[in-house]
Amino acid sequence: MNGEGEMQEERQDVTAEDRRRARFGALPERVRPEDTVEERPAAPRDPARDAYDPDEWMVRYCL
């Protein structure tokens, strides 16, 4: 009987090992560093930022 109990334990270990290998057997594919970074501006470009015209200001307020 001692031999049969050891055989059953060994079969259970093998099946547990097979399940573990099926689940964790391979590593996932490597992710390239270029794929981990996304570049975009922090704030959208404001068109009014470049709309200042010093000549217009002089004509409007000083003349």
Side-chain angles (χ1 to χ4, degrees):
M1 276 191 137
N2 222 2
E4 286 180 23
E6 288 177 14
M7 277 298 260
Q8 287 177 355
E9 275 184 35
E10 188 174 318
R11 285 186 198 146
Q12 288 176 355
D13 290 342
V14 170
T15 57
E17 183 178 334
D18 290 340
R19 285 183 293 200
R20 187 171 42 252
R21 184 163 291 150
R23 184 172 179 192
F24 303 110
L27 294 174
E29 291 184 32
R30 178 170 281 192
V31 178
R32 299 180 315 173
E34 299 86 34
D35 296 337
T36 62
V37 178
E38 178 182 353
E39 293 182 13
R40 55 184 170 158
R45 183 85 175 142
D46 183 14
R49 179 178 180 184
D50 298 324
Y52 176 74
D53 183 11
D55 295 332
E56 178 192 2
W57 183 85
M58 290 289 276
V59 169
R60 190 174 290 199
Y61 295 106
C62 296
L63 292 177

mmCIF file of all heavy atoms in Angstrom, residues 10-56:
data_model
loop_
_atom_site.group_PDB
_atom_site.id
_atom_site.type_symbol
_atom_site.label_atom_id
_atom_site.label_comp_id
_atom_site.label_asym_id
_atom_site.label_seq_id
_atom_site.Cartn_x
_atom_site.Cartn_y
_atom_site.Cartn_z
ATOM 1 N N GLU A 10 2.718 11.289 -6.571
ATOM 2 C CA GLU A 10 3.560 11.683 -7.692
ATOM 3 C C GLU A 10 2.703 12.111 -8.878
ATOM 4 O O GLU A 10 3.000 13.099 -9.541
ATOM 5 C CB GLU A 10 4.470 10.515 -8.088
ATOM 6 C CG GLU A 10 5.517 10.889 -9.103
ATOM 7 C CD GLU A 10 6.472 9.741 -9.359
ATOM 8 O OE1 GLU A 10 6.875 9.075 -8.399
ATOM 9 O OE2 GLU A 10 6.795 9.541 -10.542
ATOM 10 N N ARG A 11 1.611 11.402 -9.147
ATOM 11 C CA ARG A 11 0.714 11.782 -10.241
ATOM 12 C C ARG A 11 0.088 13.143 -9.971
ATOM 13 O O ARG A 11 -0.044 13.953 -10.872
ATOM 14 C CB ARG A 11 -0.384 10.734 -10.405
ATOM 15 C CG ARG A 11 0.091 9.475 -11.048
ATOM 16 C CD ARG A 11 -1.051 8.541 -11.313
ATOM 17 N NE ARG A 11 -0.548 7.201 -11.524
ATOM 18 C CZ ARG A 11 -1.173 6.093 -11.164
ATOM 19 N NH1 ARG A 11 -2.348 6.152 -10.571
ATOM 20 N NH2 ARG A 11 -0.641 4.928 -11.402
ATOM 21 N N GLN A 12 -0.301 13.394 -8.731
ATOM 22 C CA GLN A 12 -0.891 14.689 -8.396
ATOM 23 C C GLN A 12 0.141 15.800 -8.569
ATOM 24 O O GLN A 12 -0.177 16.881 -9.053
ATOM 25 C CB GLN A 12 -1.424 14.680 -6.963
ATOM 26 C CG GLN A 12 -2.674 13.848 -6.810
ATOM 27 C CD GLN A 12 -3.131 13.770 -5.364
ATOM 28 O OE1 GLN A 12 -2.439 14.279 -4.474
ATOM 29 N NE2 GLN A 12 -4.254 13.139 -5.128
ATOM 30 N N ASP A 13 1.385 15.548 -8.175
ATOM 31 C CA ASP A 13 2.441 16.545 -8.336
ATOM 32 C C ASP A 13 2.681 16.840 -9.816
ATOM 33 O O ASP A 13 2.887 17.985 -10.197
ATOM 34 C CB ASP A 13 3.742 16.071 -7.680
ATOM 35 C CG ASP A 13 3.651 16.057 -6.162
ATOM 36 O OD1 ASP A 13 2.739 16.722 -5.622
ATOM 37 O OD2 ASP A 13 4.495 15.399 -5.537
ATOM 38 N N VAL A 14 2.664 15.805 -10.629
ATOM 39 C CA VAL A 14 2.903 15.987 -12.052
ATOM 40 C C VAL A 14 1.768 16.810 -12.659
ATOM 41 O O VAL A 14 2.001 17.725 -13.430
ATOM 42 C CB VAL A 14 3.045 14.624 -12.770
ATOM 43 C CG1 VAL A 14 3.046 14.802 -14.281
ATOM 44 C CG2 VAL A 14 4.311 13.924 -12.315
ATOM 45 N N THR A 15 0.545 16.513 -12.292
ATOM 46 C CA THR A 15 -0.567 17.274 -12.863
ATOM 47 C C THR A 15 -0.528 18.721 -12.359
ATOM 48 O O THR A 15 -0.812 19.639 -13.118
ATOM 49 C CB THR A 15 -1.921 16.632 -12.531
ATOM 50 O OG1 THR A 15 -2.055 16.520 -11.116
ATOM 51 C CG2 THR A 15 -2.033 15.270 -13.173
ATOM 52 N N ALA A 16 -0.161 18.942 -11.115
ATOM 53 C CA ALA A 16 -0.039 20.306 -10.602
ATOM 54 C C ALA A 16 1.082 21.036 -11.338
ATOM 55 O O ALA A 16 0.949 22.207 -11.693
ATOM 56 C CB ALA A 16 0.225 20.286 -9.101
ATOM 57 N N GLU A 17 2.165 20.322 -11.609
ATOM 58 C CA GLU A 17 3.280 20.921 -12.347
ATOM 59 C C GLU A 17 2.851 21.244 -13.777
ATOM 60 O O GLU A 17 3.186 22.304 -14.301
ATOM 61 C CB GLU A 17 4.464 19.972 -12.363
ATOM 62 C CG GLU A 17 5.680 20.540 -13.052
ATOM 63 C CD GLU A 17 6.859 19.575 -13.017
ATOM 64 O OE1 GLU A 17 6.923 18.748 -12.096
ATOM 65 O OE2 GLU A 17 7.680 19.666 -13.932
ATOM 66 N N ASP A 18 2.097 20.376 -14.405
ATOM 67 C CA ASP A 18 1.614 20.625 -15.762
ATOM 68 C C ASP A 18 0.682 21.836 -15.793
ATOM 69 O O ASP A 18 0.763 22.665 -16.698
ATOM 70 C CB ASP A 18 0.874 19.403 -16.311
ATOM 71 C CG ASP A 18 1.822 18.244 -16.582
ATOM 72 O OD1 ASP A 18 3.038 18.494 -16.721
ATOM 73 O OD2 ASP A 18 1.337 17.103 -16.652
ATOM 74 N N ARG A 19 -0.195 21.951 -14.821
ATOM 75 C CA ARG A 19 -1.096 23.112 -14.760
ATOM 76 C C ARG A 19 -0.307 24.398 -14.554
ATOM 77 O O ARG A 19 -0.580 25.417 -15.182
ATOM 78 C CB ARG A 19 -2.112 22.942 -13.637
ATOM 79 C CG ARG A 19 -3.207 21.943 -13.975
ATOM 80 C CD ARG A 19 -4.172 21.889 -12.872
ATOM 81 N NE ARG A 19 -3.460 21.301 -11.728
ATOM 82 C CZ ARG A 19 -4.024 20.737 -10.683
ATOM 83 N NH1 ARG A 19 -5.324 20.721 -10.572
ATOM 84 N NH2 ARG A 19 -3.311 20.205 -9.719
ATOM 85 N N ARG A 20 0.675 24.359 -13.676
ATOM 86 C CA ARG A 20 1.502 25.538 -13.410
ATOM 87 C C ARG A 20 2.288 25.932 -14.663
ATOM 88 O O ARG A 20 2.367 27.095 -15.023
ATOM 89 C CB ARG A 20 2.441 25.238 -12.240
ATOM 90 C CG ARG A 20 3.215 26.409 -11.752
ATOM 91 C CD ARG A 20 3.969 26.144 -10.467
ATOM 92 N NE ARG A 20 4.636 24.863 -10.377
ATOM 93 C CZ ARG A 20 4.237 23.851 -9.609
ATOM 94 N NH1 ARG A 20 3.185 23.966 -8.842
ATOM 95 N NH2 ARG A 20 4.904 22.718 -9.585
ATOM 96 N N ARG A 21 2.842 24.954 -15.354
ATOM 97 C CA ARG A 21 3.608 25.234 -16.564
ATOM 98 C C ARG A 21 2.705 25.777 -17.664
ATOM 99 O O ARG A 21 3.085 26.692 -18.403
ATOM 100 C CB ARG A 21 4.317 23.974 -17.041
ATOM 101 C CG ARG A 21 5.194 24.245 -18.241
ATOM 102 C CD ARG A 21 6.201 23.164 -18.481
ATOM 103 N NE ARG A 21 7.178 23.216 -17.389
ATOM 104 C CZ ARG A 21 7.838 22.165 -16.930
ATOM 105 N NH1 ARG A 21 7.653 20.997 -17.457
ATOM 106 N NH2 ARG A 21 8.693 22.289 -15.950
ATOM 107 N N ALA A 22 1.479 25.263 -17.762
ATOM 108 C CA ALA A 22 0.547 25.764 -18.774
ATOM 109 C C ALA A 22 0.162 27.209 -18.483
ATOM 110 O O ALA A 22 -0.001 28.019 -19.393
ATOM 111 C CB ALA A 22 -0.697 24.884 -18.813
ATOM 112 N N ARG A 23 0.038 27.554 -17.217
ATOM 113 C CA ARG A 23 -0.379 28.915 -16.854
ATOM 114 C C ARG A 23 0.777 29.904 -16.883
ATOM 115 O O ARG A 23 0.644 31.030 -17.341
ATOM 116 C CB ARG A 23 -0.999 28.888 -15.461
ATOM 117 C CG ARG A 23 -1.542 30.210 -15.040
ATOM 118 C CD ARG A 23 -2.316 30.116 -13.769
ATOM 119 N NE ARG A 23 -2.810 31.432 -13.392
ATOM 120 C CZ ARG A 23 -3.326 31.725 -12.238
ATOM 121 N NH1 ARG A 23 -3.465 30.797 -11.330
ATOM 122 N NH2 ARG A 23 -3.732 32.934 -11.971
ATOM 123 N N PHE A 24 1.927 29.504 -16.364
ATOM 124 C CA PHE A 24 3.064 30.421 -16.216
ATOM 125 C C PHE A 24 4.278 30.006 -17.033
ATOM 126 O O PHE A 24 5.377 30.497 -16.796
ATOM 127 C CB PHE A 24 3.497 30.499 -14.741
ATOM 128 C CG PHE A 24 2.403 30.907 -13.815
ATOM 129 C CD1 PHE A 24 1.854 29.998 -12.921
ATOM 130 C CD2 PHE A 24 1.923 32.197 -13.822
ATOM 131 C CE1 PHE A 24 0.854 30.385 -12.054
ATOM 132 C CE2 PHE A 24 0.922 32.593 -12.961
ATOM 133 C CZ PHE A 24 0.388 31.677 -12.079
ATOM 134 N N GLY A 25 4.113 29.159 -18.004
ATOM 135 C CA GLY A 25 5.239 28.592 -18.728
ATOM 136 C C GLY A 25 6.015 29.568 -19.589
ATOM 137 O O GLY A 25 7.198 29.397 -19.794
ATOM 138 N N ALA A 26 5.365 30.582 -20.108
ATOM 139 C CA ALA A 26 6.053 31.507 -21.016
ATOM 140 C C ALA A 26 5.873 32.942 -20.535
ATOM 141 O O ALA A 26 4.831 33.308 -20.020
ATOM 142 C CB ALA A 26 5.501 31.360 -22.422
ATOM 143 N N LEU A 27 6.899 33.726 -20.729
ATOM 144 C CA LEU A 27 6.816 35.139 -20.380
ATOM 145 C C LEU A 27 6.071 35.889 -21.477
ATOM 146 O O LEU A 27 6.098 35.487 -22.638
ATOM 147 C CB LEU A 27 8.225 35.718 -20.237
ATOM 148 C CG LEU A 27 9.057 35.178 -19.082
ATOM 149 C CD1 LEU A 27 10.473 35.741 -19.168
ATOM 150 C CD2 LEU A 27 8.428 35.543 -17.763
ATOM 151 N N PRO A 28 5.418 36.975 -21.141
ATOM 152 C CA PRO A 28 4.764 37.768 -22.190
ATOM 153 C C PRO A 28 5.799 38.422 -23.094
ATOM 154 O O PRO A 28 6.972 38.514 -22.739
ATOM 155 C CB PRO A 28 3.981 38.827 -21.399
ATOM 156 C CG PRO A 28 4.600 38.873 -20.057
ATOM 157 C CD PRO A 28 5.221 37.533 -19.814
ATOM 158 N N GLU A 29 5.350 38.877 -24.254
ATOM 159 C CA GLU A 29 6.271 39.522 -25.180
ATOM 160 C C GLU A 29 6.821 40.808 -24.570
ATOM 161 O O GLU A 29 6.142 41.485 -23.812
ATOM 162 C CB GLU A 29 5.555 39.865 -26.479
ATOM 163 C CG GLU A 29 5.188 38.655 -27.294
ATOM 164 C CD GLU A 29 4.577 39.049 -28.621
ATOM 165 O OE1 GLU A 29 4.951 40.100 -29.160
ATOM 166 O OE2 GLU A 29 3.736 38.285 -29.099
ATOM 167 N N ARG A 30 8.047 41.132 -24.928
ATOM 168 C CA ARG A 30 8.704 42.333 -24.416
ATOM 169 C C ARG A 30 8.065 43.584 -25.013
ATOM 170 O O ARG A 30 7.753 43.636 -26.186
ATOM 171 C CB ARG A 30 10.183 42.290 -24.766
ATOM 172 C CG ARG A 30 10.944 43.512 -24.329
ATOM 173 C CD ARG A 30 12.390 43.305 -24.471
ATOM 174 N NE ARG A 30 12.788 42.508 -23.314
ATOM 175 C CZ ARG A 30 14.038 42.311 -22.963
ATOM 176 N NH1 ARG A 30 15.009 42.800 -23.679
ATOM 177 N NH2 ARG A 30 14.312 41.593 -21.909
ATOM 178 N N VAL A 31 7.873 44.602 -24.183
ATOM 179 C CA VAL A 31 7.325 45.877 -24.631
ATOM 180 C C VAL A 31 8.485 46.827 -24.898
ATOM 181 O O VAL A 31 9.341 47.032 -24.037
ATOM 182 C CB VAL A 31 6.385 46.471 -23.559
ATOM 183 C CG1 VAL A 31 5.868 47.820 -24.007
ATOM 184 C CG2 VAL A 31 5.250 45.524 -23.261
ATOM 185 N N ARG A 32 8.512 47.399 -26.102
ATOM 186 C CA ARG A 32 9.586 48.318 -26.454
ATOM 187 C C ARG A 32 9.402 49.640 -25.715
ATOM 188 O O ARG A 32 8.268 50.072 -25.500
ATOM 189 C CB ARG A 32 9.595 48.581 -27.958
ATOM 190 C CG ARG A 32 9.821 47.334 -28.777
ATOM 191 C CD ARG A 32 9.831 47.628 -30.249
ATOM 192 N NE ARG A 32 8.729 48.524 -30.603
ATOM 193 C CZ ARG A 32 8.554 49.054 -31.793
ATOM 194 N NH1 ARG A 32 9.403 48.787 -32.754
ATOM 195 N NH2 ARG A 32 7.542 49.839 -32.045
ATOM 196 N N PRO A 33 10.484 50.308 -25.327
ATOM 197 C CA PRO A 33 10.354 51.596 -24.632
ATOM 198 C C PRO A 33 9.612 52.642 -25.466
ATOM 199 O O PRO A 33 8.905 53.481 -24.923
ATOM 200 C CB PRO A 33 11.797 52.029 -24.394
ATOM 201 C CG PRO A 33 12.586 50.772 -24.414
ATOM 202 C CD PRO A 33 11.866 49.848 -25.352
ATOM 203 N N GLU A 34 9.733 52.577 -26.790
ATOM 204 C CA GLU A 34 9.039 53.535 -27.657
ATOM 205 C C GLU A 34 7.524 53.392 -27.533
ATOM 206 O O GLU A 34 6.777 54.335 -27.746
ATOM 207 C CB GLU A 34 9.438 53.341 -29.124
ATOM 208 C CG GLU A 34 10.910 53.547 -29.413
ATOM 209 C CD GLU A 34 11.730 52.291 -29.196
ATOM 210 O OE1 GLU A 34 11.234 51.176 -29.435
ATOM 211 O OE2 GLU A 34 12.884 52.425 -28.775
ATOM 212 N N ASP A 35 7.065 52.178 -27.211
ATOM 213 C CA ASP A 35 5.636 51.929 -27.096
ATOM 214 C C ASP A 35 5.075 52.327 -25.732
ATOM 215 O O ASP A 35 3.863 52.296 -25.541
ATOM 216 C CB ASP A 35 5.338 50.448 -27.349
ATOM 217 C CG ASP A 35 5.684 50.038 -28.771
ATOM 218 O OD1 ASP A 35 5.734 50.926 -29.649
ATOM 219 O OD2 ASP A 35 5.902 48.837 -29.000
ATOM 220 N N THR A 36 5.933 52.681 -24.796
ATOM 221 C CA THR A 36 5.453 53.019 -23.458
ATOM 222 C C THR A 36 5.325 54.511 -23.231
ATOM 223 O O THR A 36 4.845 54.929 -22.191
ATOM 224 C CB THR A 36 6.399 52.451 -22.383
ATOM 225 O OG1 THR A 36 7.686 53.040 -22.539
ATOM 226 C CG2 THR A 36 6.499 50.941 -22.471
ATOM 227 N N VAL A 37 5.746 55.331 -24.202
ATOM 228 C CA VAL A 37 5.739 56.788 -24.031
ATOM 229 C C VAL A 37 4.803 57.409 -25.054
ATOM 230 O O VAL A 37 4.825 57.063 -26.223
ATOM 231 C CB VAL A 37 7.167 57.359 -24.219
ATOM 232 C CG1 VAL A 37 7.162 58.865 -24.099
ATOM 233 C CG2 VAL A 37 8.111 56.751 -23.202
ATOM 234 N N GLU A 38 3.982 58.324 -24.579
ATOM 235 C CA GLU A 38 3.107 59.065 -25.475
ATOM 236 C C GLU A 38 3.432 60.539 -25.323
ATOM 237 O O GLU A 38 3.450 61.068 -24.213
ATOM 238 C CB GLU A 38 1.643 58.825 -25.118
ATOM 239 C CG GLU A 38 0.677 59.596 -25.957
ATOM 240 C CD GLU A 38 -0.765 59.381 -25.550
ATOM 241 O OE1 GLU A 38 -1.035 58.534 -24.699
ATOM 242 O OE2 GLU A 38 -1.612 60.099 -26.085
ATOM 243 N N GLU A 39 3.697 61.193 -26.427
ATOM 244 C CA GLU A 39 4.026 62.613 -26.388
ATOM 245 C C GLU A 39 2.869 63.423 -26.942
ATOM 246 O O GLU A 39 2.383 63.161 -28.038
ATOM 247 C CB GLU A 39 5.276 62.895 -27.219
ATOM 248 C CG GLU A 39 6.518 62.286 -26.648
ATOM 249 C CD GLU A 39 7.743 62.630 -27.461
ATOM 250 O OE1 GLU A 39 7.649 63.538 -28.315
ATOM 251 O OE2 GLU A 39 8.773 61.993 -27.254
ATOM 252 N N ARG A 40 2.439 64.396 -26.161
ATOM 253 C CA ARG A 40 1.435 65.348 -26.617
ATOM 254 C C ARG A 40 1.608 66.629 -25.813
ATOM 255 O O ARG A 40 2.112 66.606 -24.696
ATOM 256 C CB ARG A 40 0.032 64.800 -26.508
ATOM 257 C CG ARG A 40 -0.341 64.308 -25.148
ATOM 258 C CD ARG A 40 -1.702 63.692 -25.177
ATOM 259 N NE ARG A 40 -1.872 63.033 -23.887
ATOM 260 C CZ ARG A 40 -3.002 62.738 -23.358
ATOM 261 N NH1 ARG A 40 -4.107 63.010 -23.995
ATOM 262 N NH2 ARG A 40 -3.068 62.149 -22.199
ATOM 263 N N PRO A 41 1.188 67.759 -26.347
ATOM 264 C CA PRO A 41 1.393 69.024 -25.627
ATOM 265 C C PRO A 41 0.595 69.057 -24.323
ATOM 266 O O PRO A 41 -0.475 68.462 -24.225
ATOM 267 C CB PRO A 41 0.893 70.081 -26.606
ATOM 268 C CG PRO A 41 0.148 69.361 -27.670
ATOM 269 C CD PRO A 41 0.557 67.931 -27.633
ATOM 270 N N ALA A 42 1.143 69.778 -23.343
ATOM 271 C CA ALA A 42 0.479 69.872 -22.049
ATOM 272 C C ALA A 42 -0.808 70.676 -22.147
ATOM 273 O O ALA A 42 -1.777 70.395 -21.454
ATOM 274 C CB ALA A 42 1.410 70.500 -21.023
ATOM 275 N N ALA A 43 -0.831 71.686 -22.985
ATOM 276 C CA ALA A 43 -2.023 72.510 -23.182
ATOM 277 C C ALA A 43 -2.164 72.792 -24.675
ATOM 278 O O ALA A 43 -1.166 72.930 -25.384
ATOM 279 C CB ALA A 43 -1.884 73.816 -22.414
ATOM 280 N N PRO A 44 -3.378 72.896 -25.154
ATOM 281 C CA PRO A 44 -3.539 73.198 -26.579
ATOM 282 C C PRO A 44 -3.019 74.597 -26.905
ATOM 283 O O PRO A 44 -2.998 75.480 -26.057
ATOM 284 C CB PRO A 44 -5.043 73.106 -26.802
ATOM 285 C CG PRO A 44 -5.673 73.131 -25.466
ATOM 286 C CD PRO A 44 -4.652 72.710 -24.472
ATOM 287 N N ARG A 45 -2.595 74.771 -28.117
ATOM 288 C CA ARG A 45 -2.047 76.048 -28.577
ATOM 289 C C ARG A 45 -3.141 77.113 -28.566
ATOM 290 O O ARG A 45 -4.233 76.904 -29.082
ATOM 291 C CB ARG A 45 -1.489 75.879 -29.980
ATOM 292 C CG ARG A 45 -0.846 77.096 -30.541
ATOM 293 C CD ARG A 45 0.588 77.168 -30.090
ATOM 294 N NE ARG A 45 1.231 78.298 -30.741
ATOM 295 C CZ ARG A 45 2.099 79.051 -30.131
ATOM 296 N NH1 ARG A 45 2.439 78.789 -28.903
ATOM 297 N NH2 ARG A 45 2.644 80.054 -30.756
ATOM 298 N N ASP A 46 -2.864 78.279 -27.984
ATOM 299 C CA ASP A 46 -3.811 79.381 -27.889
ATOM 300 C C ASP A 46 -3.565 80.334 -29.062
ATOM 301 O O ASP A 46 -2.523 80.982 -29.118
ATOM 302 C CB ASP A 46 -3.641 80.110 -26.565
ATOM 303 C CG ASP A 46 -4.647 81.212 -26.364
ATOM 304 O OD1 ASP A 46 -5.641 81.249 -27.109
ATOM 305 O OD2 ASP A 46 -4.450 82.026 -25.442
ATOM 306 N N PRO A 47 -4.516 80.457 -29.994
ATOM 307 C CA PRO A 47 -4.294 81.337 -31.138
ATOM 308 C C PRO A 47 -4.219 82.811 -30.734
ATOM 309 O O PRO A 47 -3.591 83.620 -31.413
ATOM 310 C CB PRO A 47 -5.483 81.078 -32.054
ATOM 311 C CG PRO A 47 -6.483 80.372 -31.237
ATOM 312 C CD PRO A 47 -5.779 79.740 -30.081
ATOM 313 N N ALA A 48 -4.826 83.195 -29.636
ATOM 314 C CA ALA A 48 -4.791 84.592 -29.194
ATOM 315 C C ALA A 48 -3.416 84.973 -28.660
ATOM 316 O O ALA A 48 -3.109 86.158 -28.509
ATOM 317 C CB ALA A 48 -5.847 84.829 -28.131
ATOM 318 N N ARG A 49 -2.586 84.015 -28.375
ATOM 319 C CA ARG A 49 -1.267 84.300 -27.820
ATOM 320 C C ARG A 49 -0.410 85.112 -28.793
ATOM 321 O O ARG A 49 0.325 86.007 -28.389
ATOM 322 C CB ARG A 49 -0.565 82.986 -27.486
ATOM 323 C CG ARG A 49 0.796 83.174 -26.927
ATOM 324 C CD ARG A 49 1.408 81.848 -26.583
ATOM 325 N NE ARG A 49 2.738 82.054 -26.030
ATOM 326 C CZ ARG A 49 3.546 81.105 -25.702
ATOM 327 N NH1 ARG A 49 3.179 79.856 -25.853
ATOM 328 N NH2 ARG A 49 4.733 81.359 -25.225
ATOM 329 N N ASP A 50 -0.516 84.809 -30.066
ATOM 330 C CA ASP A 50 0.284 85.501 -31.073
ATOM 331 C C ASP A 50 -0.496 86.628 -31.756
ATOM 332 O O ASP A 50 -0.049 87.180 -32.750
ATOM 333 C CB ASP A 50 0.768 84.507 -32.122
ATOM 334 C CG ASP A 50 1.657 83.445 -31.504
ATOM 335 O OD1 ASP A 50 2.415 83.776 -30.577
ATOM 336 O OD2 ASP A 50 1.573 82.284 -31.950
ATOM 337 N N ALA A 51 -1.660 86.981 -31.240
ATOM 338 C CA ALA A 51 -2.508 87.975 -31.881
ATOM 339 C C ALA A 51 -2.123 89.404 -31.503
ATOM 340 O O ALA A 51 -2.628 90.347 -32.097
ATOM 341 C CB ALA A 51 -3.967 87.724 -31.519
ATOM 342 N N TYR A 52 -1.254 89.600 -30.539
ATOM 343 C CA TYR A 52 -0.876 90.947 -30.105
ATOM 344 C C TYR A 52 -0.060 91.657 -31.185
ATOM 345 O O TYR A 52 0.908 91.115 -31.701
ATOM 346 C CB TYR A 52 -0.070 90.875 -28.802
ATOM 347 C CG TYR A 52 0.441 92.204 -28.337
ATOM 348 C CD1 TYR A 52 -0.413 93.137 -27.781
ATOM 349 C CD2 TYR A 52 1.786 92.548 -28.468
ATOM 350 C CE1 TYR A 52 0.058 94.370 -27.353
ATOM 351 C CE2 TYR A 52 2.268 93.770 -28.047
ATOM 352 C CZ TYR A 52 1.399 94.675 -27.489
ATOM 353 O OH TYR A 52 1.849 95.888 -27.075
ATOM 354 N N ASP A 53 -0.476 92.837 -31.531
ATOM 355 C CA ASP A 53 0.236 93.645 -32.526
ATOM 356 C C ASP A 53 0.550 94.998 -31.869
ATOM 357 O O ASP A 53 -0.356 95.787 -31.606
ATOM 358 C CB ASP A 53 -0.637 93.831 -33.762
ATOM 359 C CG ASP A 53 0.080 94.594 -34.854
ATOM 360 O OD1 ASP A 53 1.306 94.786 -34.738
ATOM 361 O OD2 ASP A 53 -0.587 94.985 -35.818
ATOM 362 N N PRO A 54 1.813 95.284 -31.569
ATOM 363 C CA PRO A 54 2.139 96.533 -30.863
ATOM 364 C C PRO A 54 1.760 97.780 -31.652
ATOM 365 O O PRO A 54 1.385 98.787 -31.069
ATOM 366 C CB PRO A 54 3.641 96.445 -30.645
ATOM 367 C CG PRO A 54 4.131 95.387 -31.543
ATOM 368 C CD PRO A 54 2.990 94.484 -31.847
ATOM 369 N N ASP A 55 1.789 97.734 -32.970
ATOM 370 C CA ASP A 55 1.398 98.894 -33.766
ATOM 371 C C ASP A 55 -0.091 99.189 -33.615
ATOM 372 O O ASP A 55 -0.504 100.342 -33.523
ATOM 373 C CB ASP A 55 1.745 98.687 -35.237
ATOM 374 C CG ASP A 55 3.246 98.606 -35.451
ATOM 375 O OD1 ASP A 55 3.980 99.218 -34.648
ATOM 376 O OD2 ASP A 55 3.689 97.923 -36.400
ATOM 377 N N GLU A 56 -0.896 98.155 -33.593
ATOM 378 C CA GLU A 56 -2.333 98.346 -33.414
ATOM 379 C C GLU A 56 -2.610 98.975 -32.052
ATOM 380 O O GLU A 56 -3.446 99.863 -31.923
ATOM 381 C CB GLU A 56 -3.064 97.004 -33.536
ATOM 382 C CG GLU A 56 -4.553 97.148 -33.300
ATOM 383 C CD GLU A 56 -5.248 95.809 -33.131
ATOM 384 O OE1 GLU A 56 -4.562 94.763 -33.155
ATOM 385 O OE2 GLU A 56 -6.454 95.829 -32.962
#
